[in-house]
Amino acid sequence: MGKRKKESAKKLKEARKKVSFAVLRNNPTSPRKMRLVADMVRGMEVMRALDVLKYNSREASGKVEKLLRSAIANWEQKNEGETPEESGLYIKEIKVDEGRMLKRLRPAPQGRAHRIRKRSNHVTLVLGSTTDNNING
């Protein structure tokens, strides 16, 4: 590995240590349904987002709420002695990617078959702090 590439890799590694995030993989919900919930809380303050997710009737909101609690726990582990309310913690980035797709066959009339696609998704949630100015997103 070249010197320049090694230095940039070190910078990325150090920047990643400062960021708190949580990842949910192979969630058996279609990405479209999950994106509706993700768009609802993107950019929100953490405590307000927890309230919104708690009282939302969608099934995906329960999974995003659990993921958000995990990201908060990761943040608290890095920043001991601070609370999310004091530091102005918010959802900096939340993205929903397509996961693997299970392909099944359903019988159809006259000896035919229709393909059923059971979709899944991956959710990545990154937290940011309004008091922490040295992280560039």
Side-chain angles (χ1 to χ4, degrees), residues 118-136:
K118 296 188 174 189
R119 299 172 188 271
S120 67
N121 61 54
H122 307 308
V123 184
T124 306
L125 193 142
V126 179
L127 296 180
S129 178
T130 54
T131 60
D132 193 17
N133 294 328
N134 54 354
I135 298 174
N136 295 328

Side-chain angles (χ1 to χ4, degrees), residues 15-62:
R16 190 152 190 194
K17 284 182 182 177
K18 296 176 185 174
V19 175
S20 296
F21 64 96
V23 180
L24 174 65
R25 296 194 190 279
N26 293 321
N27 183 22
T29 312
S30 75
R32 184 176 180 180
K33 291 177 184 176
M34 188 61 82
R35 280 189 194 108
L36 290 172
V37 175
D39 291 340
M40 198 167 42
V41 296
R42 185 175 285 123
M44 261 190 205
E45 187 183 276
V46 168
M47 293 302 153
R48 184 161 187 267
L50 282 173
D51 290 339
V52 167
L53 291 170
K54 185 176 182 179
Y55 294 108
N56 192 353
S57 61
R58 293 185 181 273
E59 181 186 345
S61 63

Side-chain angles (χ1 to χ4, degrees), residues 100-118:
R100 67 171 190 227
M101 192 182 313
L102 298 175
K103 294 176 180 171
R104 301 287 182 256
L105 293 176
R106 169 150 302 164
Q110 298 181 359
R112 296 188 182 104
H114 293 279
R115 181 172 283 172
I116 303 294
R117 294 183 304 248
K118 296 188 174 189

